[in-house]
Amino acid sequence: MDAVISNFDEYLKAFGLTIGLFVVSGIASLVFGTILAVLRVGPVSILNKAAALYVTLFRNTPLLMIFVFIFIAMPVLGYNFKVVENVEIAGYNVSAFFFRACLALTLYTAAFVCEAMRSGVNAVPLGQAEAGRAIGLTFSQSMTLVILPQATRAVIPPMTSVMIALAKNTSIAAAFGLAEATATMRAFTNNNADQRIGIFLAFAIGYIIVVEVISLSSYLVERKVRVAR
Amino acid sequence: MRFIRTKAVIATVGLALSLAACGDAGDDGGETTDVEVQENAGDEFDDGTAMKEFADSGEITIGVKYDQPGIGFKGATDDMPVGFDPEIGKILAASLGIAAEDITWKETISDNREPFLQEGEVDLVIASYSITDERRQVVGQAGPYYVTGQQLLVKSDSDIASLDDVKGTEVCSVTGSTSLENIKAEGAKPRGFDTYSECVDQVLSGTVDAMTTDGAILLGYAAENPDELKVVVDPFSEERYGVGYSLDKPEMCQWIVDTITQAQEDGDWGSAFEATLGQSGVDTPEPPAMDECPAA
């Protein structure tokens, strides 16, 4: 443990990056996944099929392969996303590595968010959609005003599982140029072979804290917005 | 028709992926040397020592790396790893009366070298294994049999010429390695990848500005792509490669030191170097002097 305690700033920085990856790709995949879910339940056949194809493709591909494609294959094909480094947001530049990792995590997680969301839509009684249509709401109106708000409340537990999986999946970025928690753990063990177990425990505890915070906040949100039936 | 086209697309994508993923590690350092195998080696060692056991059973398991051309490299279709580390392994095995083809090679990566030794998965680790005080707390390290230093591999048209130029640039190496820590201390953004070949691909595709690790490894990669890659900067660290052994068998240290010293004197060490790392054009260095073994 000594190695971790005397380099505690490194430890915090590593988990900072892990949390950064989680928050950015979490928000992005929630937005993108919800759009996919709306397309899948929507009336336009071609969009419907496109979204279904996307989900099949990305849900069945291991995340590691998506990372390999974005980090190893795409730069060879000429897409290295270096342009994002020129974009300045509030004085900060996002590194192309961070962008690529978030892209890989989002593409993958969105497929799972879409399916969780779809289960939530199915949980909304059919009469709700029919009532919306009866009072003359368009598809997008009944989606945003009637169905999605109820669906979102119903999907908090499965969505939490998707988000916890995402938090742990950020560790794949360790092998692709990002000094997040897992990569930093490997650096620590390499330098301090005699403290292997202590270092492992310190990082495992870090991950447990991250995941516990996610599940605790989902519990609080669920208690607050639960639909009384 | 549609089916054929789909298949073609899948094949193309698959091909692109596999090409990109493996890189071309090539067959640099593919030569090997013949080391004279000691006969009746079992008589040389005292009863109860680990060496006696190896010599009597005729078996030894050696952990080497598979992804470092010149040092330790094994292609997917190769039978045996080649490189300077496996050559050292052959010299050690030969002194036990074990021929090269009877050695069991096992791939070790940086992360699992200590656990492999502690759990007896391998008897020796010869895997660009730098000697450090922390490592000597948990495993034995005899040597050094080779001393190298960290350098930079860049594209031939790169502006990086000195260590000062790496400030703020992105430099890759293997995740968790000492090289990555050292370059971070120089002000570069460290980018860790799982293997050296992935890291070289990143330099070639221009995603990172440079790759850093021991000069010996970089020379191996530069030799494969002399038009596109070059090695720059004088070595800025000292890495002393040692042979790892289990602390349960402290008697092995003196045997390793004696065998390698012998090989340095009779020229086996030099020919092992010329057949492997020497292929990239560097001169054979003066063999390093061995550390004394800790009192058993």
Side-chain angles (χ1 to χ4, degrees):
Chain A
M1 249 347 166
D2 282 355
V4 177
I5 294 165
S6 54
N7 293 297
F8 205 65
D9 55 327
E10 292 273 312
Y11 178 84
L12 290 182
K13 243 199 269 175
F15 272 102
L17 184 53
T18 291
I19 292 167
L21 286 169
F22 166 72
V23 169
V24 173
S25 25
I27 293 172
S29 54
L30 280 176
V31 172
F32 183 39
T34 307
I35 295 172
L36 283 172
V38 171
L39 295 182
R40 281 205 73 174
V41 300
V44 185
S45 162
I46 176 89
L47 293 178
N48 207 316
K49 289 203 175 91
L53 178 71
Y54 178 92
V55 169
T56 313
L57 202 63
F58 279 88
R59 200 166 54 149
N60 294 319
T61 310
L63 177 57
L64 183 63
M65 279 182 67
I66 298 174
F67 263 92
V68 168
F69 184 78
I70 289 179
F71 277 86
I72 316 276
M74 285 182 75
V76 174
L77 301 172
Y79 302 99
N80 59 18
F81 300 108
K82 280 274 185 194
V83 272
V84 301
E85 293 184 352
N86 303 327
V87 182
E88 203 178 270
I89 303 163
Y92 284 103
N93 292 85
V94 177
S95 82
F97 275 85
F98 185 79
F99 180 82
R100 280 191 290 257
C102 288
L103 183 64
L105 288 166
T106 302
L107 291 177
Y108 179 78
T109 312
F112 292 88
V113 169
C114 167
E115 290 304 87
M117 216 51 184
R118 214 160 58 90
S119 78
V121 171
N122 289 336
V124 177
L126 193 61
Q128 296 282 326
E130 284 169 347
R133 216 174 306 146
I135 59 168
L137 297 181
T138 63
F139 172 73
S140 57
Q141 278 175 326
S142 69
M143 251 320 169
T144 51
L145 298 173
V146 180
I147 297 171
L148 281 183
Q150 297 185 58
T152 314
R153 292 170 181 200
V155 298
I156 289 172
M159 203 59 88
T160 307
S161 298
V162 171
M163 287 299 127
I164 288 174
L166 169 65
K168 294 188 286 188
N169 283 341
T170 55
S171 62
I172 298 221
F176 295 90
L178 286 145
E180 48 69 78
T182 302
T184 307
M185 180 182 87
R186 288 167 69 177
F188 273 47
T189 19
N190 186 53
N191 290 344
N192 306 281
D194 50 336
Q195 297 175 36
R196 201 168 264 274
I197 294 170
I199 292 167
F200 172 78
L201 286 177
F203 280 89
I205 290 168
Y207 274 108
I208 291 170
I209 292 172
V210 170
V211 170
E212 274 306 308
V213 167
I214 298 171
S215 43
L216 187 68
S217 34
S218 106
Y219 172 72
L220 294 177
V221 172
E222 195 188 0
R223 244 187 19 174
K224 210 164 168 158
V225 303
R226 186 168 22 210
V227 189
R229 285 216 176 95
Chain B
M1 268 317 275
R2 170 182 277 175
F3 181 56
I4 295 173
R5 203 162 59 198
T6 318
K7 273 213 291 200
V9 169
I10 292 171
T12 320
V13 171
L15 198 65
L17 264 179
S18 58
L19 277 176
C22 345
D24 49 306
D27 55 3
D28 189 58
E31 290 187 33
T32 56
T33 55
D34 281 327
V35 188
E36 201 177 323
V37 177
Q38 184 87 32
E39 280 170 41
N40 300 329
D43 306 339
E44 304 257 323
F45 301 104
D46 295 337
D47 283 338
T49 61
M51 291 77 79
K52 177 87 174 163
E53 275 174 44
F54 295 138
D56 286 347
S57 66
E59 285 171 5
I60 191 164
T61 307
I62 302 180
V64 292
K65 291 212 175 153
Y66 282 5
D67 70 335
Q68 297 178 353
I71 301 268
F73 184 83
K74 182 173 173 289
T77 55
D78 298 342
D79 296 332
M80 254 198 246
V82 290
F84 189 59
D85 283 348
E87 291 301 321
I88 295 290
K90 285 185 213 166
I91 291 172
L92 288 168
S95 80
L96 299 168
I98 301 170
E101 53 272 18
D102 296 328
I103 302 171
T104 311
W105 300 104
K106 207 162 224 173
E107 181 177 13
T108 52
I109 56 166
S110 296
D111 278 351
N112 65 18
R113 291 177 295 201
E114 291 91 14
F116 266 28
L117 283 171
Q118 287 170 320
E119 287 151 21
E121 281 279 315
V122 296
D123 300 311
L124 293 173
V125 163
I126 313 176
S128 57
Y129 199 14
S130 301
I131 298 174
T132 68
D133 290 342
E134 287 84 5
R135 284 175 182 156
R136 276 189 165 162
Q137 301 287 319
V138 282
V139 295
Q141 287 186 309
Y145 60 89
Y146 183 60
V147 177
T148 179
Q150 196 172 338
Q151 287 179 285
L152 294 173
L153 180 75
V154 294
K155 277 192 153 185
S156 342
D157 57 357
S158 167
D159 296 333
I160 298 175
S162 76
L163 207 50
D164 292 337
D165 297 338
V166 300
K167 276 201 180 59
T169 63
E170 288 178 324
V171 181
C172 70
S173 191
V174 168
T175 307
S177 62
T178 321
S179 322
L180 214 52
E181 300 283 300
N182 291 345
I183 202 70
K184 192 166 99 182
E186 298 293 336
K189 289 184 215 153
R191 298 296 180 195
F193 282 82
D194 246 12
T195 63
Y196 288 103
S197 41
E198 279 171 353
C199 182
V200 173
D201 283 343
Q202 299 295 306
V203 177
L204 283 169
S205 64
T207 318
V208 302
D209 303 289
M211 164 176 175
T212 186
T213 184
D214 305 342
I217 301 167
L218 299 179
L219 285 170
Y221 282 108
E224 282 171 5
N225 245 322
D227 297 336
E228 287 188 74
L229 298 171
K230 62 178 179 185
V231 177
V232 292
V233 180
D234 287 332
F236 56 94
S237 73
E238 192 188 58
E239 303 298 333
R240 305 158 70 245
Y241 288 177
V243 179
Y245 60 93
S246 166
L247 280 182
D248 296 342
K249 300 166 183 167
E251 69 273 17
M252 286 168 78
C253 182
Q254 198 57 52
W255 158 67
I256 295 167
V257 167
D258 290 346
T259 311
I260 294 177
T261 313
Q262 174 71 32
Q264 290 177 342
E265 281 162 12
D266 64 20
D268 282 349
W269 188 90
S271 43
F273 188 89
E274 282 152 29
T276 55
L277 287 172
Q279 296 289 307
S280 55
V282 283
D283 296 332
T284 307
E286 197 62 25
M290 302 276 162
D291 291 356
E292 257 177 62
C293 281

